[in-house]
Amino acid sequence: MIINHGVVGDYLYINGVMQKAYQLIEFEGDYYFVNDYNKLVKNASIDLGERFTSQYNLPAGKYAFDADGKMIINH
């Protein structure tokens, strides 16, 4: 039996559980956003409100995500 963990195609699994829509997730030091189709946002920028960012002490605003779905954070 294979238990998916991490990014598998367009989806994010944590301990075998596919992460569901409309959430920002911190996973292994990176941030990912799951859209309304339960897929990771990839190669796109989206506006994230405080309801998504406040738990990670990030300001609300526009965030870019790379081809792997990882948030691009400019320091």
Side-chain angles (χ1 to χ4, degrees):
M1 180 171 152
I2 297 173
I3 296 176
N4 290 322
H5 189 70
V7 176
V8 178
D10 289 333
Y11 303 95
L12 178 63
Y13 291 84
I14 298 177
N15 296 323
V17 178
M18 185 177 73
Q19 301 305 292
K20 300 295 180 177
Y22 288 124
Q23 61 175 324
L24 182 65
I25 300 167
E26 182 180 11
F27 178 71
E28 297 183 345
D30 293 305
Y31 296 98
Y32 299 86
F33 189 79
V34 181
N35 71 16
D36 56 339
Y37 296 105
N38 301 326
K39 292 184 177 184
L40 293 174
V41 170
K42 295 182 175 182
N43 293 318
S45 294
I46 59 171
D47 286 315
L48 294 177
E50 208 171 271
R51 77 179 191 141
F52 298 111
T53 61
S54 64
Q55 67 183 330
Y56 300 112
N57 294 318
L58 296 170
K62 191 167 200 136
Y63 288 93
F65 295 84
D66 69 14
D68 296 321
K70 294 179 185 177
M71 180 187 284
I72 301 167
I73 299 178
N74 297 322
H75 294 283

